[in-house]
Amino acid sequence: MRINKSLNLQIENMKLTLKIWRQENAKAKGKMVDYIIDGIDGDMSFLEMLDVLNEDLVNKGEQPVEFDHDCREGICGACSLQINGEPHGPDKLITTCQLHMRTFKDGDTIVIEPFRATAFPVIKDLIVDRTSFDRIQQAYGYVSVNTSGNTIDANSIPIKKENADDSFNAATCIGCGACVAACKNASAMLFTSAKVSQFALLPQGEVEADRRVLAMVEQMDKEGFGNCTNTGACEIECPKGISLENIARMNREYLKASVK
Amino acid sequence: MGGFLKSSVARKFAMALSGLFLVLFLAQHFTINLTSVISPDVFNEISHFMGTNFLVQALLQPILIFGVCFHFIMGFVLEIRNRRSRSINYVRFNGSANSSWMSRNMIYSGLVILAFLGLHFYDFWFPEIVHKYIQSHPEDATRYYGELVAKFESPVRTGLYVLSFIFLMLHLIHGFSSSFQSVGFNNKYSKGLRGFTVAFAIVIPLGFIFIALFHYINNVQ
């Protein structure tokens, strides 16, 4: 039996109780279902643990638990679980696919739910529809520059280092929706502000900054996300560490655009 | 204005501005109240000025009442909209892992402050209106200190005031600094500003508690 020496916890052959949200489809009423799972190794990722559970369920002739996943290396933003009351689980700056079972201990009960927001309706089990984020992006999350045959070398436009860094940091948002899931108001302001900021900070995007922020905030409101009350939960739970500074910047950009 | 307030960002901006205005009022109210501990004469003089000056009564007081009403109504509007944005709640939501109790419970601290304002108006504002405009008593620049001290004879009332100021402290600890974020102020000075806002949020309500207890203890003695 392997032991995590620093914590003196058993991290091999763990037995866990999983409480998982099961919902047949978008219209069905869902409920929490308990599963006992054992033989879990601490080096497994959380999603691999769910794979093991699903293998068991399939072997028993039961419906596997549906959950979102894709790259499994923390860059695609597909995985989306609320684990023990926190998006992407208790560790910080990681996605669910990067969460390892050594975070838990033998005998633990783990509550697994979908990201909850009116704008993120459940499709099935733990999968939610996050196309509201896509529509916010489509509203104006781009730069209207024809790059076909007219591309200018980016290095020919001088940009302040801090602006370039802030823009890059904002652009690392993977759109997973953890900010919405963590916020008590299900607000999407961290996501929207990151998309607004990444363009507003660069000369290429600055030209359309006013139109962009007005259109993206309008779409965000239309989708039914809540209002930001500055709890800071989004920043803490964001797997990419997107800063609240982006929300302040979006507020400034919005107010500036509104009075023009 | 109505169209502007349809946006979530604008609503937060308006909420923050009304909050900052109320913080300024609170500082002014505290300064005046503090004089009641230092000098009854100075307190009477300032109170008489505030209660009879045309500019204060006809312009500043209506603005203050509008600011208070706006802040509360907008608070309720935001709360209702925010609750709608998560139609199904989590079975388990670990809010303490990523945010402060104060920031998550502004509506409850706000409701306690609203209830306190009801008591405060019952104690001071309504009697003042009756005294001046209904009973039409002649002006008496020496009555204010006695009226204030008389209110703090009751241990229950004093206790309610102390409790309310504790909730005011909790509300301000998050609300004051949060309002700067809402108006778009988040930069290298924010850390220092946060220190100032938290100090203000603690010191001012503690000062109000001190004043209430000072008059209660003086009455007991």
Side-chain angles (χ1 to χ4, degrees), chain A residues 1-258:
Chain A
M1 184 199 307
R2 283 192 308 125
I3 301 285
N4 181 329
K5 285 178 184 165
S6 59
L7 297 172
N8 199 26
L9 299 174
Q10 179 185 333
I11 56 167
E12 195 178 57
N13 201 24
M14 289 190 287
K15 187 175 183 180
L16 303 162
T17 302
L18 306 177
K19 290 180 177 291
I20 301 178
W21 181 261
R22 302 301 310 261
Q23 184 172 334
E24 188 54 39
N25 55 55
K27 289 180 181 167
K29 198 177 174 197
K31 61 176 181 177
M32 298 301 287
V33 177
D34 289 4
Y35 298 97
I36 307 288
I37 186 168
D38 56 16
I40 298 301
D41 191 288
D43 291 337
M44 279 181 178
S45 78
F46 198 84
L47 297 185
E48 285 167 343
M49 180 276 292
L50 287 178
D51 291 338
V52 171
L53 171 71
N54 277 345
E55 272 183 31
D56 286 352
L57 292 174
V58 170
N59 288 338
K60 285 188 227 166
E62 294 178 31
Q63 281 282 312
V65 176
E66 302 267 354
F67 60 92
D68 270 320
H69 61 103
D70 193 3
C71 73
R72 297 207 177 199
E73 54 187 17
I75 56 170
C76 75
C79 52
S80 64
L81 305 178
Q82 183 85 355
I83 301 162
N84 281 347
E86 287 181 78
H88 300 303
D91 279 0
K92 302 303 175 208
L93 296 172
I94 58 161
T95 53
T96 298
C97 59
Q98 296 170 298
L99 177 67
H100 283 85
M101 294 312 296
R102 52 181 168 266
T103 311
F104 304 94
K105 62 180 190 293
D106 186 42
D108 271 0
T109 296
I110 306 173
V111 179
I112 310 167
E113 297 173 81
F115 282 178
R116 293 278 187 214
T118 307
F120 285 172
V122 172
I123 297 170
K124 186 173 184 184
D125 293 337
L126 301 170
I127 298 179
V128 295
D129 180 355
R130 286 172 282 178
T131 51
S132 48
F133 269 15
D134 297 340
R135 289 187 290 274
I136 293 172
Q137 275 284 76
Q138 287 158 5
Y140 220 127
Y142 49 82
V143 175
S144 308
V145 175
N146 180 9
T147 54
S148 174
N150 306 316
T151 315
I152 299 169
D153 181 5
N155 292 321
S156 67
I157 307 170
I159 298 170
K160 278 168 73 180
K161 174 77 166 66
E162 51 267 38
N163 282 5
D165 287 349
D166 287 348
S167 175
F168 181 82
N169 288 339
T172 59
C173 167
I174 54 175
C176 65
C179 46
V180 174
C183 177
K184 78 176 191 70
N185 310 316
S187 168
M189 283 204 184
L190 193 67
F191 166 78
T192 309
S193 68
K195 301 305 172 190
V196 164
S197 290
Q198 78 177 74
F199 296 118
L201 285 161
L202 300 178
Q204 295 92 333
E206 203 180 354
V207 183
E208 298 166 287
D210 291 346
R211 277 174 283 164
R212 179 180 302 109
V213 71
L214 292 174
M216 292 183 81
V217 169
E218 186 185 353
Q219 187 62 38
M220 176 184 77
D221 290 344
K222 270 187 198 164
E223 297 292 344
F225 290 106
N227 297 274
C228 172
T229 50
N230 306 321
T231 67
C234 53
E235 181 184 55
I236 302 286
E237 298 294 351
C238 174
K240 298 300 164 187
I242 304 292
S243 164
L244 287 178
E245 281 174 34
N246 291 296
I247 297 182
R249 185 179 296 107
M250 181 175 74
N251 294 347
R252 284 197 303 274
E253 292 283 333
Y254 186 88
L255 295 167
K256 197 173 67 182
S258 297

Side-chain angles (χ1 to χ4, degrees), chain A residues 182-185 227-233, chain B residues 12 15 71-72 75-76 78-79 82-83 93-114 164 166-175 178:
Chain A
C183 177
K184 78 176 191 70
N185 310 316
N227 297 274
C228 172
T229 50
N230 306 321
T231 67
Chain B
K12 282 301 298 171
M15 189 70 179
H71 195 70
F72 278 109
F76 289 127
L78 290 172
E79 180 68 19
N82 289 343
R83 283 179 188 242
F93 184 71
N94 190 8
S96 60
N98 49 41
S99 54
S100 68
W101 186 92
M102 286 83 76
S103 70
R104 296 195 308 277
N105 292 284
M106 291 293 278
I107 188 68
Y108 299 113
S109 53
L111 281 170
V112 173
I113 295 165
L114 180 61
S164 302
I166 291 170
F167 276 91
L168 177 66
M169 185 190 296
L170 297 173
H171 199 77
L172 284 175
I173 286 174
H174 176 68
S178 167

Side-chain angles (χ1 to χ4, degrees), chain B residues 33-40 145 148-149 152-153 158 162 206-221:
Chain B
N33 282 18
L34 193 61
T35 62
S36 73
V37 173
I38 301 162
S39 163
Y145 182 77
L148 170 77
V149 169
F152 291 102
E153 283 175 359
T158 308
V162 169
L206 278 182
F208 276 118
I209 289 172
F210 164 72
I211 294 166
L213 291 177
F214 176 85
H215 291 303
Y216 173 71
I217 291 166
N218 266 359
N219 277 323
V220 171
Q221 288 170 347

